[in-house]
Amino acid sequence: MPASPSTARAINDRLALRLLQHEGPLTAGQLKQLTGLSRPTVADLVERLTASGLIEMVGESGEQRRGPNARLYGIVGNRAYLAALDVRMEGVSVLVSDLVGRVLAEASVPIDGDSGTGPAVEQAVALVERAAKEAGAEHLHTVCVGAPGLIDPATGELRDTTGLPAWHRRLVAALHERLPGTRIVAENETNLAALAEQRDGAAHDRDTFVLLWLGMGIGAAVVLDGTLRRGASGGAGEIGFLPVPGTRGLPSSTDCEGGFHSLAGAGAVLELARECGVLGAEGVEGSGAAEVVRRAVAGVGGGESGAEGGADDAPDGASAPDHPSAARFLDALADRLALGVASVVALLDPGCVVLGGEVGQAGGDELAVRVAERIVRMSPLPAEVRPSVLGGAAVLRGALLTAQDGAQGELFG
């Protein structure tokens, strides 16, 4: 049956708004060309959306030609304000944007694990409130919180997970209390990173892929046919618990030690670096896993300069490890990562695996190529291995995109 006039108007309005979101300010003529609608229909929807306060004239097009200029229309950014949070074990980062994603304020705060649940929550909530004030946002329409752990698919809340700080779970409830009328969304950090890599990063041309998060902890996000898959209990991608050879024992239902986490988590990467002689030199001891991997890549000549490893290739002026040690470390790390990647490939056949997080980005093509070579030998299924483009920033970016999509879905509806 043909759509009713009101339904047709709603469809046309949403189409125009989506085009304005993704293409930027457009003239009525450009909207006509992109939508295929008639000139009178476009004129009606422009008038309707302007009257509703969703779009406004933001300039003129055609200043360089003779004749009248065409009006440029764009989405009204201050119609709604959004916040994105990246909640880590050691602190919180937040950014506040308008409806079209323009970042207006950014801030972060370290949180001492011994400070207690109440003070930690207060620090995090106060950070959000300060960032919103700095951005000039009297009210936040949507806040998306990215955190490690499981999200209950029935309630959308962060589940009480052993090994994670209690203040993580309490934070979501506190935001509901302190920000009345604000839509609060919680999502697993790795899932958000995958959404960001799909929209803006390494998986921009893929509708089926798996992101392997490499950081303090280990996780995976599964995107099949363009849809993020969370699993029956919200735990799809808990690859840190995957039993693999080479560990001391097996993981338990409450502790991933003995699982893939024991081979590929940040602590295991640093220990491997010590064994290979990459970590331990003056000025390197105590560096994070991502920095150690970055220096190893420079040591094999895989840094930005592409030159043979040396002091000039190392980040921050530190000496890069010698080529044999760096190559030995990257090969051993690739051996470990290949165990998890091969398991993912055998079960899901995603065709593409992104090595995400700070470590995946630091490893770049040097590490991705090494892992891919091992997958070719281990699996009959083809799988491209790509390094992250966004690294650790993917969580905040994914949280912002999620908040933006939710707010626009409500307002544009």
Side-chain angles (χ1 to χ4, degrees):
M1 297 177 60
S4 66
S6 61
T7 300
R9 285 194 295 270
I11 293 172
N12 293 340
D13 289 355
R14 180 175 282 270
L15 175 59
L17 287 164
R18 289 300 181 193
L19 286 170
L20 289 169
Q21 167 61 27
H22 295 298
E23 303 294 334
L26 298 169
T27 66
Q30 289 170 327
L31 281 171
K32 174 182 178 298
Q33 181 179 10
L34 292 170
T35 61
L37 300 172
S38 67
R39 188 178 300 277
T41 300
V42 170
D44 287 342
L45 74 82
V46 167
E47 182 179 355
R48 188 164 55 247
L49 293 175
T50 302
S52 69
L54 287 174
I55 69 172
E56 62 184 351
M57 194 182 86
V58 296
E60 293 184 337
S61 175
E63 290 87 346
Q64 306 304 318
R65 61 175 175 78
R66 298 178 63 183
N69 297 330
R71 296 177 176 180
L72 276 170
Y73 295 93
I75 294 173
V76 178
N78 62 8
R79 178 65 184 271
Y81 294 96
L82 319 168
L85 275 72
D86 181 1
V87 179
R88 303 287 180 103
M89 298 284 283
E90 68 281 3
V92 177
S93 297
V94 61
L95 61 81
V96 176
S97 82
D98 62 12
L99 185 59
V100 294
R102 286 188 292 258
V103 176
L104 306 174
E106 295 183 76
S108 62
V109 62
I111 295 181
D112 187 346
D114 297 327
S115 62
T117 299
V121 169
E122 178 59 32
Q123 279 185 279
V125 175
L127 181 73
V128 176
E129 292 175 334
R130 288 198 302 271
K133 183 177 180 180
E134 181 184 340
E138 294 184 4
H139 172 75
L140 294 172
H141 181 283
T142 302
V143 174
C144 181
V145 180
L150 303 178
I151 306 298
D152 190 322
T155 64
E157 296 180 351
L158 192 64
R159 289 169 52 180
D160 188 7
T161 306
T162 303
L164 294 176
W167 66 267
H168 281 196
R169 189 165 187 267
R170 176 63 188 140
L171 175 58
V172 176
L175 289 170
H176 278 290
E177 295 168 3
R178 293 275 283 272
L179 302 174
T182 296
R183 180 171 174 260
I184 310 295
V185 180
E187 181 58 271
N188 174 268
E189 59 177 355
T190 306
N191 288 344
L192 291 175
L195 294 175
E197 293 284 2
Q198 184 182 32
R199 189 81 66 90
D200 301 326
H204 66 92
D205 58 344
R206 293 280 184 167
D207 62 359
T208 294
F209 70 99
V210 169
L211 179 133
L212 179 61
W213 180 266
L214 304 173
M216 181 72 70
I218 296 295
V222 180
V223 177
L224 302 177
D225 300 323
T227 302
L228 179 67
R229 306 294 181 176
R230 296 176 175 83
S233 63
E238 286 295 322
I239 197 171
F241 287 87
L242 180 73
V244 290
T247 63
R248 305 181 188 95
L250 293 171
S252 70
S253 60
T254 59
D255 191 351
C256 59
E257 286 300 323
F260 185 53
H261 170 83
S262 295
L263 292 183
V269 172
L270 291 175
E271 182 60 34
L272 179 64
R274 293 186 184 96
E275 294 173 3
C276 294
V278 170
L279 186 60
E282 184 178 355
V284 178
E285 188 71 43
S287 295
E291 183 64 17
V292 171
V293 171
R294 189 174 294 111
R295 287 179 175 139
V297 169
V300 297
E304 290 182 359
S305 66
E308 195 66 27
D312 293 338
D313 297 318
D316 305 325
S319 295
D322 61 89
H323 189 287
S325 296
R328 184 166 61 250
F329 167 65
L330 291 175
D331 284 338
L333 180 57
D335 287 340
R336 294 184 174 194
L337 296 180
L339 294 176
V341 173
S343 299
V344 165
V345 171
L347 286 172
L348 299 174
D349 188 19
C352 178
V353 176
V354 175
L355 303 183
E358 294 92 346
V359 173
Q361 184 182 43
D365 289 330
E366 284 288 337
L367 183 59
V369 167
R370 282 171 163 80
V371 174
E373 290 172 347
R374 287 153 176 80
I375 299 305
V376 169
R377 298 195 297 265
M378 296 169 68
S379 174
L381 307 176
E384 186 178 0
V385 181
R386 301 177 177 180
S388 167
V389 170
L390 303 174
V395 177
L396 267 182
R397 179 59 181 160
L400 177 58
L401 290 170
T402 299
Q404 189 178 6
D405 288 347
Q408 289 183 358
E410 179 180 319
L411 295 173
F412 293 177

